[in-house]
Amino acid sequence: MKIKKISFSLLLIASVGNLLGQSLGDQISSGEIHGNFQLNMQYYQEDSLIGAYEVPEDVLMNGFANFIYTNGNFSAGMRYESYMNPILGYPSGFKGNGLGYRYASFTNDNMSVTVGNYYEQFGNGLIYRTFEARGLGYDNAMDGIRIYYKLAEGLNVKGVIGKQRESFDSGVKYGEGIVRGIDGELSVNDFIPSLSEAKTRVILGGSFVSKFQPDQNSQFNLPENVGASAGRFNISRGKISLAGEYARKINDPSADNGYIFKEGEAFYAQTAFSTKGFGLTLSAKGNDNMSFRSDRGAAQTVLQMNYLPALTRQHTYNLLATLYPYATQPNGEVAFQGELVYKLKKNTFLGGKNGAGILLNYSTVYNIDSTALPASDTTQMGYTSNLFSVGDTKYYEEINVEFSKKFSKSVKAIFTYSNIVFNQAVVQGKNPKDHPTIYANVGVIDLTYKINKKHAIRTELQGLFTKQDHQDWATVLVEYTYSPHWFIAVMDQFNYGNKISEEQIHYYYTTAGYVKGANRVSLGYGRQRAGIFCVGGICRTVPAANGITLSITSSF
Amino acid sequence: MKNLTLLFAIILSGTVMFAQNDKRSIPSANVKTLNGGSFNTSELNNDGKPMIINFWATWCSPCKRELNNIAEVYDEWVEETGVKIVAISIDDARNMGKVAPYVNGKGWEYEVYIDPNGDFKRAMNVNNVPHTFLVNGNGEIVWQHNSYSEGDEDELYELTKKLAKGEEISH
């Protein structure tokens, strides 16, 4: 009955539309419609060596398509998602077919309104960021209302209210908690006309976010409303810039922090100096008890409201990216990072005839100095700490040097050396007794030989050397490209140094593909480790798999 | 939800029925300038000359190969066609502070913006980086390409030259 009603009204509206005829048609056709599509299909082979189980369906598939309609100041969009069934390595909570996202928005004078789903971020995201990383199966989109308002030149306000996407099962299931937030940003130079030409540029911002979730816990008296606030600044003058943000959250007992009533805190500060051929960044970050979700009981990546960036180098070379990647510890860490980029001039000793480049990156992460409260304590604060005091447990450290050089018109190379200290017990939540901290040396030679205008061969030789974990690894990659349409790549990641000889596994992988404009089709076969995968001219995030992979992407 | 879906379905069918225009304009989204300010992408233009919009990231090796290769011949491209390259970094809060030092350190002469939460990337329907769009003098997107292989820049330059001469481009 209900369906009949809907189709009847649809028919009615459509026929009225037809009666109105040309004018409505003209109005609608003056708009544009665009979209994109992605499909990843995996045929599985059982593989006891890498712990890949038999898949009863044999074939699993993830796919989605976005459609966006824009017409002047109006825009509407939707995403259809399909998980038939979800590919392995994807988080649970992605099942079935249906609409995963839909919105409509308009802009009128200085105001812009979005209803439905949206993604939004305040400042660095320390207290509020909703976003998607579809390759990873991450989506905490809002469903509700968002308003942007330009109050004056240089003064902008954003307001959000809604619920977050919790999971997808032939349609979106939203979390119970209600999220409300407001953010204001003042560009001083645009706001005060006499400063518009000033060399020093100043931007100030502030935000407040709160969540509401009913307390149904009989044991504790939990706060139903939890607020967090943050303030930030960005000052730049010519070649120098300085930016910082500080955030504070009131008591928020949750599964993440063991239901303690301590407040949370975070800061993020960065300074940069750059001029042509030289760039330097120094940054520091700390977060203490700063996990923030719209459901206090949620775990993993579900219903996260904020983003605490990892202050370490983000790697693309296979061994570095997949074996020991660092992940932020929301309950407490202090991190420091420095990066220097330098271009060596042509006709110098290191620069050679064609010039060269150096990139140096150092990063380190420690725990926060904290003291657990005694068992006799009745405040339920958990521990005492000082966000700006570095503890003595090292979580991560890396020294990374990258030297890139063009030897001739046809030969280019990038040499990378990295020294990593990786506390696997903390970062991966393993038992410290049989999972000691890993000390690894990594070397990569990335060589490109351009045969002629259209043909090129690129090879990567990588080695990772460590006495801990699974000992030594090597990766060899050969990639052949025929611009602008074709590529083929062969790769083997080999755990040759493993002390247990049965575990000296080869992760061999072959992939070939065709690209035309914004269409890309690739077919792969072999074992693949989870992580960022930069082969065939693009970078994408992939889950672990063994078997045949078909990937299709398109935009129109 | 149902009503919204319905409304959308109607608009969609209306568009499919009536749409004849396959030219595409640059959508509006707010991105960040290198000194932290706000910029709306609907204001992107190159005074009637061709423009290239390229999505990249500091952690994307093929993206950096592409933009570093083009950087070596960019002077020539600009002189010959008047083209402007707009490089949109999709780095988020983790890496966005490193974008300006990287761009300057490599000596890039491009106009660079940062899209830390993917708003412009979503509006442009970008799946993966690198993704390149070619825009004609009227601000219409006439060509796009996903991924980078050595030599792809030659095709891009040939198309840019055509645009600069006022010729039509088809895939």
Side-chain angles (χ1 to χ4, degrees), chain A residues 371-383:
Chain A
T371 315
L373 291 172
S376 57
D377 169 74
T378 53
T379 60
Q380 290 169 353
M381 289 294 178
Y383 61 96

Side-chain angles (χ1 to χ4, degrees), chain A residues 397-409:
Chain A
E397 185 177 29
E398 182 181 0
I399 302 163
N400 187 291
V401 188
E402 187 186 287
F403 179 69
S404 53
K405 188 167 164 62
K406 193 170 176 179
F407 289 96
S408 70
K409 266 208 137 112

Side-chain angles (χ1 to χ4, degrees), chain A residues 120-143:
Chain A
E120 185 55 71
Q121 176 177 337
F122 293 167
N124 287 300
L126 296 179
I127 60 167
Y128 181 72
R129 185 192 190 204
T130 50
F131 70 112
E132 55 169 342
R134 305 224 75 76
L136 292 167
Y138 190 98
D139 189 341
N140 61 354
M142 290 282 279
D143 185 32

